[in-house]
């Protein structure tokens, strides 16, 4: 099925460990973005990309790195995990045509840092 | 910078009645897009409806309509004939620009809606 695929769905990390959250879409969307969702905070933008090779920071970028080498993939890297990064992470994408099609979200990754 | 405010942390509505979820926004952009998303307890984000800042008519999608009042900077979601399956968290969001320039979303903190029999 066409859409946004996030892996893994669940992950437990120890403080200081690194990991990569994967995000892939097969809709040829140019725009991709990462969000974190914390209780009572809504979703906050971490990083976004408007095309392969182009990324930029969002509202809460500290502790996270991204790269976009292909249109399809937009991985999010945690270099040294901290308990404050315990959250649910969502990846989203959209096409460059009309916004009325909305942004398509992945199913999320629930990350716990102990 | 854009800011979205949802002032209702929780709402109750009886089945088959209509409910309005409030959303106000603040932006200096002339061109922007407004969205509503539904997040059921299963966690996925479901796109409901979109309104562009230059759209003269309010958006409608089935039982969902967006009451867009540009001068008041409000974009309230109206759900008609509520169903038990409408129980979920609802997020208002906006993006700067329309068409190609809306690169990502700014979200409000959400409203939890509970539909009772």
């Amino acid at each position: 099925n066409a859409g946004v695929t996030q892996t893994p769905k669940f992950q437990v990390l120890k403080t200081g460990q690194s990991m990569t959250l994967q995000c892939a879409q097969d809709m040829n969307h140019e725009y991709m973005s990462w969000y974190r969702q914390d209780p009572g905070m809504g979703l906050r933008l971490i990083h976004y990309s408007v095309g392969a090779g182009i990324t930029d920071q969002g509202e809460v970028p500290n502790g996270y790195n991204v790269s976009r080498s292909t249109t399809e993939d937009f991985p999010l890297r945690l270099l040294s995990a901290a308990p404050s990064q315990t959250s649910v992470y969502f990846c989203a994408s959209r096409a460059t045509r009309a916004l009325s099609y909305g942004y398509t979200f992945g199913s999320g990754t629930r990350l716990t840092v102990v | 910078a854009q800011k979205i405010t949802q002032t209702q942390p929780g709402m109750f509505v009886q089945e088959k009645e209509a409910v309005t979820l409030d959303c106000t926004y603040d932006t200096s952009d002339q061109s922007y897009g407004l969205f509503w998303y539904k997040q059921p307890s299963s966690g996925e984000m479901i796109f409901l409806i979109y309104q562009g800042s230059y759209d003269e008519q309010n958006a409608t999608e089935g039982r969902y309509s967006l009451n867009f009042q540009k001068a008041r900077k409000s974009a309230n979601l109206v759900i008609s004939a509520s169903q038990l399956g409408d129980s979920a968290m609802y997020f208002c969001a906006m993006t700067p620009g329309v068409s190609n320039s809306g690169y990502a979303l700014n979200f409000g903190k959400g409203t939890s809606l509970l539909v009772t029999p």
Side-chain angles (χ1 to χ4, degrees), chain B residues 26-68:
Chain B
D26 188 19
T27 182
S28 56
D29 296 323
Q30 295 300 311
S31 172
Y32 50 88
L34 295 156
F35 302 79
W36 277 92
Y37 277 83
K38 172 184 178 181
Q39 186 179 43
S41 58
S42 53
E44 70 265 37
M45 296 292 290
I46 301 169
F47 168 60
L48 295 178
I49 197 166
Y50 164 79
Q51 177 86 41
S53 58
Y54 294 124
D55 296 339
E56 295 185 352
Q57 289 194 331
N58 288 342
T60 60
E61 289 288 347
R63 293 187 299 110
Y64 304 108
S65 60
L66 199 152
N67 184 359
F68 180 47

Side-chain angles (χ1 to χ4, degrees), chain A residues 12-111:
Chain A
V12 179
L13 285 180
K14 292 183 179 180
T15 298
Q17 285 185 322
S18 63
M19 80 159 294
T20 299
L21 306 185
Q22 302 291 345
C23 176
Q25 52 90 8
D26 57 1
M27 299 171 285
N28 203 32
H29 286 177
E30 291 293 327
Y31 292 173
M32 297 186 74
S33 45
W34 277 101
Y35 304 83
R36 60 176 289 172
Q37 183 177 22
D38 302 297
M41 298 293 292
L43 281 77
R44 292 181 292 169
L45 179 65
I46 305 172
H47 285 285
Y48 66 93
S49 170
V50 299
I54 307 170
T55 64
D56 206 345
Q57 296 180 351
E59 179 187 356
V60 288
N62 292 341
Y64 308 96
N65 278 355
V66 292
S67 60
R68 183 101 179 266
S69 57
T70 66
T71 298
E72 293 77 21
D73 299 300
F74 190 42
L76 179 71
R77 297 183 185 86
L78 284 71
L79 300 179
S80 179
S84 61
Q85 294 179 304
T86 293
S87 188
V88 180
Y89 291 84
F90 286 97
C91 179
S93 73
R94 82 162 183 92
T96 53
R97 58 184 183 274
L99 283 172
S100 60
Y101 292 104
Y103 291 72
T104 302
F105 279 78
S107 58
T109 294
R110 185 174 294 273
L111 176 67

Side-chain angles (χ1 to χ4, degrees), chain B residues 11-20 63 78-82:
Chain B
M11 290 279 288
F12 292 89
V13 65
Q14 264 196 319
E15 200 176 5
K16 300 180 184 178
E17 293 189 345
V19 62
T20 297
R63 293 187 299 110
V78 180
I79 304 175
S80 63
S82 297

